[in-house]
Amino acid sequence: MFCNSSVLKIKESKKPASSIQYHLNNVTEKLPSTSIEKCDIFNDGEWVPNPKAPYYTNTTCWAIHEHQNCMKYGRPDFEFMKWRWKPNGCDLPTFNPFQFLEIVRGKSMAFVGDSVGRNQMQSMICLLSRVEWPIDKSYTADENFKRWMYPSYNFTIAFFSTPYLVKAQLADSNGPTQTGLFNLYLDEFDEKWTTQVEDFDFIILNGGHWFLRPMVFYEKQKIVGCHFCQLENVNDLTKFYGYRKTFRTAFRVINSLEKFKGVTFLRTFAPSHFEKGLWNQGGNCVRTKPFRSNQTQLEGDDLELYMIQLEEFKIGEKEARKKGLKLRLLDTTQAMLLRPDGHPSRYGHWPQENVTLYNDCVHWCLPGPIDTWSDFLLHLLKMEKAII
């Protein structure tokens, strides 16, 4: 199932940082990843036209979150919905909902992470709507903890909102950047999801954009540092410290669950595409076509966050194998790096609405590029079934 060739293709800059170059060399040598006949389905490819898409619309699918319902709120172009990911050297079939539901018959799948993870689950619900609509089996009215069941297939999907993956508390609703200051307990489990996923067959784990906010880091119940907290006598360890520690803790808890015998997929970081300003400084994403792979490259903070995920995945996967568990990579980073055209931008609400919402260049329009994540996932599930 695995080969060593599938690591994000990153063009060498003229002056690569030595630490990043070391990480690339180290991970390339040792990191397992998924391939088809030695074809890297994730990181070596292009977006090509797909006139058959989309496979649902905002009028046929009720699961679309309002802020990602781009067509409802007036997006004028349609081309962003009509692309598919084509790996170089092989083909990745588009999502077959009948095939997917047969594979997961009698099983359950948990989406664990932030609102982009919820975005992914809603995309899947829309894609599966060609076969069947699920029944709401949620234990609570809280939209952050939803559970749906497909009766004809006895298949359950659930979403557990945990933007930081570990135990976290809002310390200040404003904070230094007016986006809140959060206390992160880097070595403590977030029991809102860790006590719920043990009986699931599949876990799809993600985390990313919340780590750009100010945070205070705790370990063993004591402050060890922070990211842009601007508190006296607290060292700024940067977001990367917290990011690494949270994934290490998340993998540790999954590997320690006594009853869990399923497969965990790490869905890698999907970069945002703000241009001409930061998210709160007028930045926007107004492109209407994908990039070609030679037109952009992963760099800066996005590259560092991605490399941290790969490194912690490698550690977690090694421990999982010792315990007979499966940890797999759902590597969406390169494909989504090339899709600046797929975000809601300002089309997540009516123009005349008196609301304070910034241009959204983080989440994805539905229908849209995020539907391809189900193409990737179905391929991985088929490979798991073939191994079993």
Side-chain angles (χ1 to χ4, degrees):
M1 177 175 179
F2 296 108
C3 72
N4 293 331
S5 63
S6 180
V7 173
L8 179 63
K9 243 177 123 179
I10 304 170
K11 281 172 54 181
E12 293 184 3
S13 59
K14 295 181 179 179
K15 297 181 180 180
S18 58
S19 61
I20 293 176
Q21 192 64 51
Y22 167 78
H23 291 323
L24 282 170
N25 293 338
N26 190 41
V27 173
T28 302
E29 290 175 3
K30 301 179 182 179
L31 179 69
S33 188
T34 308
S35 64
I36 306 177
E37 299 175 353
K38 298 184 179 180
C39 170
D40 185 348
I41 67 165
F42 294 128
N43 302 310
D44 184 15
E46 304 284 353
W47 290 94
V48 298
N50 181 20
K52 296 180 180 179
Y55 299 98
Y56 62 91
T57 71
N58 67 308
T59 59
T60 64
C61 183
W62 50 255
I64 301 175
H65 193 284
E66 286 296 283
H67 294 163
Q68 283 94 59
N69 198 338
C70 304
M71 303 314 294
K72 173 181 177 179
Y73 292 110
R75 179 160 176 165
D77 60 307
F78 298 91
E79 189 176 353
F80 73 94
M81 297 184 286
K82 293 184 173 294
W83 299 88
R84 68 179 180 90
W85 179 249
K86 174 65 173 67
N88 293 324
C90 64
D91 198 33
L92 178 67
T94 54
F95 184 75
N96 183 323
F98 296 92
Q99 191 176 55
F100 176 87
L101 285 170
E102 284 297 338
I103 290 175
V104 298
R105 182 185 290 273
K107 298 186 181 300
S108 54
M109 180 177 291
F111 293 83
V112 176
D114 59 23
S115 56
V116 180
R118 177 171 56 199
N119 203 176
Q120 180 183 6
M121 184 188 75
Q122 291 166 338
S123 164
M124 177 178 288
I125 291 175
C126 290
L127 289 168
L128 293 176
S129 67
R130 287 177 287 169
V131 180
E132 186 170 77
W133 289 109
I135 298 172
D136 192 338
K137 293 288 186 178
S138 305
Y139 299 151
T140 172
D142 189 342
E143 289 295 318
N144 290 317
F145 301 95
K146 298 293 293 184
R147 194 176 294 236
W148 305 90
M149 195 267 285
Y150 289 81
S152 299
Y153 295 86
N154 190 26
F155 171 56
T156 299
I157 58 175
F159 172 65
F160 297 96
S161 177
T162 173
Y164 290 113
L165 300 177
V166 297
K167 179 181 176 182
Q169 294 176 343
L170 179 62
D172 182 347
S173 58
N174 291 317
T177 61
Q178 307 302 310
T179 58
L181 175 65
F182 293 84
N183 292 337
L184 269 62
Y185 299 86
L186 300 177
D187 54 354
E188 296 188 37
F189 302 159
D190 180 0
E191 295 185 350
K192 292 192 298 292
W193 71 271
T194 60
T195 58
Q196 299 291 315
V197 299
E198 202 160 12
D199 294 327
F200 280 79
D201 297 288
F202 305 104
I203 297 174
I204 301 178
L205 196 73
N206 86 93
H209 296 283
W210 279 70
F211 289 83
L212 306 180
R213 303 183 184 209
M215 302 170 286
V216 179
F217 303 137
Y218 287 76
E219 294 180 74
K220 296 180 179 179
Q221 293 289 317
K222 295 182 179 179
I223 295 177
V224 295
C226 74
H227 164 61
F228 201 69
C229 63
Q230 297 187 355
L231 298 177
E232 291 185 7
N233 301 318
V234 179
N235 293 331
D236 194 328
L237 298 178
T238 78
K239 56 183 170 287
F240 305 121
Y241 181 88
Y243 200 61
R244 182 179 298 280
K245 289 280 187 172
T246 55
F247 275 101
R248 188 165 299 184
T249 297
F251 291 141
R252 178 164 58 88
V253 67
I254 291 173
N255 287 334
S256 69
L257 295 174
E258 291 185 6
K259 296 180 181 179
F260 181 68
K261 304 299 179 185
V263 183
T264 301
F265 298 96
L266 170 63
R267 200 270 298 156
T268 61
F269 182 71
S272 63
H273 291 92
F274 291 100
E275 296 186 64
K276 298 182 179 179
L278 301 176
W279 65 273
N280 58 349
Q281 297 177 2
N284 204 351
C285 39
V286 297
R287 296 179 185 267
T288 58
K289 290 184 178 181
F291 287 125
R292 298 285 296 177
S293 60
N294 62 358
Q295 292 178 312
T296 187
Q297 65 187 58
L298 199 68
E299 57 190 2
D301 287 359
D302 288 345
L303 174 58
E304 189 67 21
L305 293 171
Y306 175 72
M307 296 311 300
I308 288 171
Q309 285 188 315
L310 295 189
E311 292 158 11
E312 293 306 314
F313 171 86
K314 182 175 65 175
I315 295 169
E317 196 272 338
K318 182 178 180 181
E319 292 302 312
R321 272 188 282 116
K322 290 179 182 177
K323 299 184 178 183
L325 298 175
K326 298 177 181 178
L327 181 57
R328 306 299 192 224
L329 199 64
L330 178 56
D331 194 339
T332 60
T333 302
Q334 172 66 10
M336 304 315 286
L337 173 69
L338 305 183
R339 292 307 306 269
D341 57 321
H343 299 287
S345 178
R346 65 180 182 274
Y347 299 109
H349 59 92
W350 298 114
Q352 67 271 20
E353 280 188 277
N354 186 21
V355 292
T356 303
L357 289 175
Y358 297 99
N359 297 322
D360 186 350
C361 302
V362 171
H363 299 93
W364 303 91
C365 293
L366 293 179
I370 196 173
D371 294 330
T372 295
W373 295 4
S374 290
D375 300 351
F376 287 139
L377 182 59
L378 177 55
H379 166 70
L380 295 181
L381 291 175
K382 286 192 289 188
M383 295 186 75
E384 288 296 327
K385 190 173 180 64
I387 291 172
I388 295 171

